[in-house]
Amino acid sequence: MNISADHWLEGAMRRPIPGGSPMPVRRFLAIHFTSGATAESSIEFWRTPAAKGASAHIVIDRDGTVYQCRPFNVTCGHAGVSRWQGFSNLNSCSIGIELANAGDDERLTKRWSKFPPTEARHKNGGTLKRWEVYPVEQLAACEEVAKALVKRYNLDGVVGHDDIAPSRKVDPGPAFPMQALRVACGFKVG
Ligand SMILES: [Zn+2]
């Protein structure tokens, strides 16, 4: 997947959301789930005042369709209060990818997933919960986009929202193959 000189992914469906600040340097790729219905429904929500500025650069639907909302040299509001490797406020130096996924919302999972949920305890603690499974098409698209971004911007790492804000966030959660994505992007996992 190519990334244009003005920081748009070629082949992605463009759904521009105005706003953000200049982001001249990108260090990390942050992975999220939307806790929502379709990718487009989340993007529509981000356009409303109720979203309070929430947004991400990329949203990937369950069928693997990739949407882009802002160029990669402009910030989005996906990380919130966050910390990683000496950096705080990851919004200022990271690209956000949201995956359309219900997380541990069993009602939304039943409505939007073709598969039974997977039962797991989150690595950050909590009780045994049922998490929406990520379809292979969605994971394949995520890997393709992530590899292109890591290469183009020489990123330092791929992180989950549950890594950079572990006391507040559980996404992308236990159903997401984070280690496999890190390996695919060329990072060592210990
Ligand atoms: Zn998140």
Side-chain angles (χ1 to χ4, degrees):
M1 273 183 137
N2 285 322
I3 297 165
S4 69
D6 58 349
H7 306 281
W8 290 86
L9 195 60
E10 287 170 8
M13 311 275 282
R14 294 192 189 192
R15 297 288 185 274
I17 296 177
S21 309
M23 182 167 69
V25 178
R26 295 141 291 260
R27 310 300 296 258
F28 306 104
L29 183 62
I31 309 292
H32 305 260
F33 61 52
T34 57
S35 312
T38 65
E40 293 214 84
S41 74
S42 292
I43 295 168
E44 284 315 305
F45 173 66
W46 294 341
R47 296 182 190 283
T48 68
K52 296 178 181 160
S55 59
H57 296 89
I58 294 285
V59 193
I60 305 177
D61 226 336
R62 292 175 179 81
D63 67 358
T65 306
V66 177
Y67 299 86
Q68 184 169 358
C69 299
R70 270 191 204 145
F72 302 120
N73 62 344
V74 176
T75 61
C76 284
H78 58 95
V81 177
S82 49
R83 188 170 290 279
W84 190 252
Q85 290 181 356
F87 290 86
S88 56
N89 181 17
L90 275 281
N91 278 335
S92 66
C93 62
S94 63
I95 295 169
I97 295 182
E98 290 270 2
L99 302 164
N101 179 281
D104 60 352
D105 185 320
E106 293 197 45
R107 186 186 59 83
L108 276 178
T109 297
K110 208 168 256 176
R111 169 70 182 82
W112 292 103
S113 178
K114 291 178 190 164
F115 311 102
T118 181
E119 225 174 37
R121 221 176 285 278
H122 196 280
K123 65 182 179 182
N124 294 345
T127 57
L128 200 61
K129 288 180 175 167
R130 293 157 73 81
W131 305 84
E132 182 183 346
V133 166
Y134 293 95
V136 290
E137 296 84 355
Q138 189 180 30
L139 291 177
C142 180
E143 183 178 310
E144 201 183 344
V145 172
K147 281 158 73 173
L149 289 168
V150 167
K151 189 175 172 201
R152 164 69 184 268
Y153 297 117
N154 193 23
L155 300 179
D156 294 336
V158 181
V159 295
H161 206 182
D162 48 12
D163 296 315
I164 61 177
S167 62
R168 297 187 302 119
K169 294 292 176 178
V170 294
D171 60 313
F176 187 80
M178 183 59 82
Q179 296 298 66
L181 179 63
R182 286 178 173 141
V183 170
C185 289
F187 295 110
K188 280 188 197 143
V189 292

